[in-house]
Amino acid sequence: MEIRRLDHASATDADIAGMFAVRAAAAARDQPADPPPVFEDVAARVRSHRPDRRRPHLVARVDGGIAGWGVLWVSVVDNLHMGMMELWVHPDHRRRGVATALLREAAAVLAEDGRTVLLIGADAGPADGLATRLGGRVVQVERLSLLRLADVDWADVAAVAAAKHPGYRIEAWAERTPDELLAGYAAAKSAMNDAPHDDADFGAFTYTPQTIRDDEAVMRPLGEYRVVAAVHEETGAVAGFTELLVPPRSPRATQEDTAVLPAHRGAGLGLWVKADMLVRVRAERPQVAEVLTGNATTNRHMLAVNDRLGFRPWGDHNFWQFDVGELSARLG
């Protein structure tokens, strides 16, 4: 087995084809009820790059082909002690040490950078045994929730979207935040730092006008990045917002962040913007059949908002935390 480190520039077309094959085979085995991955979307994610983050791709080669793939997410502006990872192993190569080898390399990458914490997100079940044996512990459980648009009570959702919220107005845009709202939107994004992170060892994430522009650039090849915001009339502040990524080649849209600034909580703005988003997407993007979102099981407020709109539980996603030094020692 050979482990190689790649990045957005060094990954060849053949590398990406092999990585996609692993991702698609793993999804077919582990997530058969979900829409299958799309090659163009996976390729766009591998090719994506932004100056405030590094995304090393680790591939395990067996007999010349790619048997496993892991991608690290490493910020260079905040949370400098940690890295996050996703990992997939082709079903034909499982229980043969592929995941272990990829984790060993991930620990080495982080140790070289002086990082001490590794967080890995994985659906509950398939990875639990290995993660436990390697000293990982679940620090947060996320509930995945699915909304099938055919099942929505549209009269109710439309009424929620049309409800008056004195002192606030709705602003909506796609792909590029209007210049006049950019600073306010970045400030509102900081409210995501208030979301429950349970026992996960990470701190506040940095949101600036530049990180918003970087997000937009990265998302553009992946689909239409839509935002609905509640703007405070008196101050012009973006008081709350919700985001949705609408891919061009899949019937499933993905709910991204939703947050309300502390000074504006309690007015129902989160429910308002999410209902407005659904009404707009139904009218403007009829190819969208369902929306997937994820929230910490301790985020009772947002779970209640989603339940109110018709989202239903779809599965659990665990976040496993490892001490990099301990993981390295266990793996040898």
Side-chain angles (χ1 to χ4, degrees):
M1 186 188 307
E2 175 193 11
I3 304 297
R4 293 182 59 202
R5 299 182 187 181
L6 304 173
D7 62 18
H8 70 286
S10 62
T12 67
D13 291 344
D15 290 328
I16 295 174
M19 294 151 83
F20 172 74
V22 168
R23 179 73 182 89
R29 173 68 62 85
D30 302 331
Q31 301 158 319
D34 290 333
V38 176
F39 175 80
E40 290 83 358
D41 295 342
V42 172
R45 290 187 183 275
V46 175
R47 293 294 188 208
S48 67
H49 173 67
R50 50 187 297 169
D52 59 341
R53 297 176 191 170
R54 292 188 293 108
R55 297 181 74 234
H57 295 274
L58 313 177
V59 296
R61 291 185 174 277
V62 176
D63 296 330
I66 295 179
W69 168 33
V71 56
L72 282 167
W73 179 94
V74 182
S75 174
V76 298
V77 297
D78 56 37
N79 286 284
L80 302 181
H81 68 295
M82 63 165 284
M84 301 181 71
M85 187 181 190
E86 290 184 284
L87 187 155
W88 304 274
V89 176
H90 194 290
D92 293 344
H93 292 276
R94 292 180 179 176
R95 301 185 183 278
R96 300 180 183 179
V98 175
T100 300
L102 289 170
L103 287 170
R104 183 183 295 112
E105 190 71 10
V109 170
L110 295 178
E112 290 166 11
D113 206 31
R115 306 201 178 223
T116 57
V117 172
L118 171 63
L119 283 172
I120 299 179
D123 289 345
D128 293 358
L130 176 62
T132 300
R133 289 195 300 274
L134 294 178
R137 60 189 181 93
V138 176
V139 292
Q140 186 175 66
V141 179
E142 184 178 67
R143 189 188 101 177
L144 301 179
S145 302
L146 187 72
L147 178 69
R148 291 190 170 93
L149 270 61
D151 298 335
V152 171
D153 182 342
W154 285 108
D156 179 61
V157 171
V160 173
K164 300 300 182 183
H165 291 261
Y168 299 92
R169 71 176 188 274
I170 288 286
E171 295 280 354
W173 63 87
E175 298 189 349
R176 181 177 173 84
T177 305
D179 290 340
E180 64 273 17
L181 294 175
L182 183 58
Y185 179 40
K189 287 276 284 186
S190 68
M192 288 301 301
N193 288 319
D194 296 337
H197 62 300
D198 301 328
D199 294 327
D201 181 13
F202 59 78
F205 293 94
T206 298
Y207 299 98
T208 67
Q210 185 57 53
T211 65
I212 298 300
R213 292 294 186 227
D214 290 340
D215 279 340
E216 292 169 346
V218 167
M219 290 293 188
R220 199 165 290 123
L222 303 178
E224 184 183 47
Y225 195 57
R226 301 175 66 104
V227 181
V228 171
V231 176
H232 188 230
E233 297 274 19
E234 182 178 350
T235 63
V238 175
F241 67 92
T242 192
E243 305 161 341
L244 195 72
L245 179 64
V246 180
R249 295 168 287 267
S250 173
R252 175 180 288 178
T254 304
Q255 182 81 60
E256 300 292 332
D257 291 342
T258 301
V260 176
L261 284 172
H264 301 278
R265 291 172 186 166
L269 300 184
L271 178 62
W272 187 34
V273 294
K274 292 193 78 165
D276 186 273
M277 175 72 84
L278 290 174
V279 170
R280 291 175 188 271
V281 167
R282 183 196 188 202
E284 300 169 13
R285 298 294 179 266
Q287 76 274 18
V288 174
E290 56 191 34
V291 177
L292 184 72
T293 189
N295 305 95
T297 55
T298 53
N299 193 347
R300 296 180 179 178
H301 174 73
M302 194 55 64
L303 288 172
V305 167
N306 291 336
D307 290 345
R308 173 71 174 76
L309 294 170
F311 284 85
R312 295 295 178 260
W314 188 245
D316 287 335
H317 194 76
N318 291 334
F319 286 92
W320 291 86
Q321 182 167 304
F322 299 83
D323 176 273
V324 170
E326 179 182 347
L327 180 61
S328 298
R330 284 175 179 263
L331 291 172

